[in-house]
Amino acid sequence: MRRAARKRTTRQLEQVFKALEGDHTHPFAHEIYRRVHKRLPRISLATVYRNLHSLVDEGKIRTLLLDEQGARFDPETSQHDHFVCERCGRVVDLFLRQTRPVDLSSLAKQGYVVTTHSLTVHGLCQICAARRRTSRSQRPARKA
Amino acid sequence: MRRAARKRTTRQLEQVFKALEGDHTHPFAHEIYRRVHKRLPRISLATVYRNLHSLVDEGKIRTLLLDEQGARFDPETSQHDHFVCERCGRVVDLFLRQTRPVDLSSLAKQGYVVTTHSLTVHGLCQICAARRRTSRSQRPARKA
DNA sequence: TTGCTTGCAAATTTTTTGCAAAAAC
DNA sequence: GTTTTTGCAAAAAATTTGCAAGCAA
């Protein structure tokens, strides 16, 4: 599934990248489409997908597979990890490995060649954990 | 997306579980359908999906999101990690955390509540790494 | 001008759902 | 006998593709 390298810069590509740049919410393709569509009302979702793929191929953004519903996109290209909140669904960047690197040395000894790794932590984010603490003794809410 | 708990045992459910039991290849739903279909030729893919979900809900199997093409299923329910080979696509179970637990204590200190985590390592599996070593100086092969 | 990229619509792929019939208990 | 589960077909949701027209270089 190798795609031909992109050769031209277009407004569509620029806007797709800008819609993601500096964003920490790890949006799905459709949300990126929604954002770009405000500036380029004629853009199609297919073009958003094509440009997201180009950006991934060029290493400018990354794909995240965290939900059954589809791929998320992340402009943070440094090696990092993610926290997924079970309650609110938020995905938070973690930089654990900067202070607590995962020890994969045993794999090399077993004959594996390690390129990258990704760590995903599931649980309650700071906000949802605090909320639960506050409402500790209340009976389970219906539908919030 | 909460499903009602299953109340009856059926041949379909049993066969879906048996098709996965003891398997270490982390198959997609369609491959499980293919296997079960040999024993129950009238089963439908929809039933395989429904039964896979039941088994996940009951904690008998787990869902793995590793590929863009869809979910894999894993009968290994103990806490473990995965290695994905970039060349052959194989997914191998890893039990790194039994000897090298990932240190997530800093998250608790920051107010997160951690439920589980998953670590996925990418690279070359033992077989593909060995093959590369053997054919080190050869020009890139076309189509294997 | 040349040929890459886009927009549109249709196609694909994976997974889910409605409903009558079949099976479980 | 009642209620759950199945099979089938159709629906949904996410993503990809063919192709003529538009745009970048």
Side-chain angles (χ1 to χ4, degrees), chain A residues 4 13 24 33 50 69 77 84 106 121:
Chain A
L13 178 72
H24 299 288
Y33 166 75
R50 281 184 288 233
Q69 68 238 47
T77 55
V84 180
S106 66
V121 184

Side-chain angles (χ1 to χ4, degrees), chain B residues 89-136:
Chain B
R90 186 194 323 264
V91 177
V92 185
D93 287 323
L94 299 177
F95 295 90
L96 295 172
R97 61 180 80 180
Q98 295 183 352
T99 50
R100 309 273 180 178
V102 174
D103 181 358
L104 299 174
S105 58
S106 66
L107 290 176
K109 285 177 202 144
Q110 291 172 60
Y112 290 93
V113 174
V114 174
T115 309
T116 59
H117 69 275
S118 66
L119 174 67
T120 306
V121 185
H122 298 259
L124 296 179
C125 71
Q126 297 160 317
I127 295 168
C128 289
R131 181 174 301 150
R132 191 176 66 167
R133 245 174 266 123
T134 309
S135 54
R136 196 186 317 121

Side-chain angles (χ1 to χ4, degrees), chain A residues 13-80:
Chain A
L13 178 72
E14 288 172 348
Q15 291 301 323
V16 168
F17 183 60
K18 281 191 182 159
L20 211 39
E21 205 177 6
D23 179 284
H24 299 288
T25 65
H26 311 86
F28 295 98
H30 191 88
E31 164 65 12
I32 296 164
Y33 166 75
R34 209 185 54 73
R35 294 178 190 174
V36 176
H37 187 263
K38 289 181 183 168
R39 299 179 162 269
L40 301 176
R42 308 217 35 171
I43 200 172
S44 68
L45 186 52
T47 297
V48 171
Y49 273 106
R50 281 184 288 233
N51 284 320
L52 285 170
H53 290 146
S54 295
L55 291 166
V56 169
D57 291 348
E58 293 169 22
K60 301 229 179 77
I61 66 173
R62 293 170 70 159
T63 302
L64 259 52
L65 301 174
L66 301 174
D67 307 78
E68 330 239 342
Q69 68 238 47
R72 293 170 176 265
F73 296 89
D74 190 348
E76 175 65 67
T77 55
S78 66
Q79 298 276 332
H80 67 288

